Amino acid sequence: MSRDAMPRRLNVRISDGELEALDRASAEMGCSRSQVVRLLIHCLAGGGTRMGAGTVAFDYETSHGIVRNLRSIGTLYNQSVASLNTIAKAARESPGEVTAEDALEVLRVVDAEMTYVADSLGCLREDVARLSDRPAVFLWS
């Protein structure tokens, strides 16, 4: 995450034992100290009183896998919209060259792609819903 997205900096004094505990938690979760602190903040902001066995944390690899899939879904969506815009532009600029059948074929392809996007997002929503009986936080860098 960029510094612009997180403009505030927190300086805190902790004991050697607390630092060791933070480093242990960081190593166990495969994330930075800052990410562990943000996880704690998100857990508290979500109404929880402590981070513990009820917390679901997504490691770097898992969270980036989810991001990659979401980007793919977004790319497919953007390509579908671009196809619609292209056929609409062609129909406006050259009404005699674009037939209703051409437009219908593009709409069928876009409809299939949008159905895939909706199904993919539905699967993601269901997966997160299964996990969301507990606080869930994505640990982005």
Side-chain angles (χ1 to χ4, degrees):
M1 197 171 273
S2 73
R3 288 181 186 222
D4 292 338
M6 295 184 293
R8 303 288 183 235
R9 183 181 188 100
L10 172 68
N11 294 311
V12 61
R13 293 186 177 277
I14 59 176
S15 69
D16 289 339
E18 291 169 330
L19 181 60
E20 289 173 14
L22 179 59
D23 287 340
R24 247 189 335 272
S26 176
E28 287 173 9
M29 294 191 299
C31 61
S32 69
R33 291 174 178 170
S34 293
Q35 289 170 324
V36 173
V37 171
R38 281 196 293 281
L39 172 63
L40 290 168
I41 292 167
H42 284 282
C43 287
L44 292 172
T49 56
R50 65 179 180 80
M51 186 178 113
T55 300
V56 177
F58 295 93
D59 62 23
Y60 182 82
E61 184 179 335
T62 302
S63 64
H64 278 311
I66 291 169
V67 168
R68 247 189 334 272
N69 289 337
L70 286 173
R71 282 189 181 138
S72 295
I73 291 169
T75 298
L76 184 57
Y77 176 80
N78 285 338
Q79 289 171 343
S80 298
V81 171
S83 295
L84 286 174
N85 286 333
T86 299
I87 197 75
K89 181 180 178 186
R92 278 192 313 272
E93 292 176 357
S94 308
E97 294 179 25
V98 178
T99 67
E101 291 80 20
D102 294 334
L104 187 57
E105 180 58 31
V106 170
L107 289 173
R108 283 188 184 124
V109 170
V110 169
D111 179 60
E113 290 175 349
M114 290 298 98
T115 299
Y116 176 77
V117 167
D119 291 347
S120 297
L121 291 173
C123 288
L124 179 61
R125 182 186 49 77
E126 290 169 9
D127 290 345
V128 171
R130 266 195 303 280
L131 297 172
S132 67
D133 60 326
R134 306 174 234 184
V137 178
F138 289 91
L139 300 175
W140 278 208
S141 298

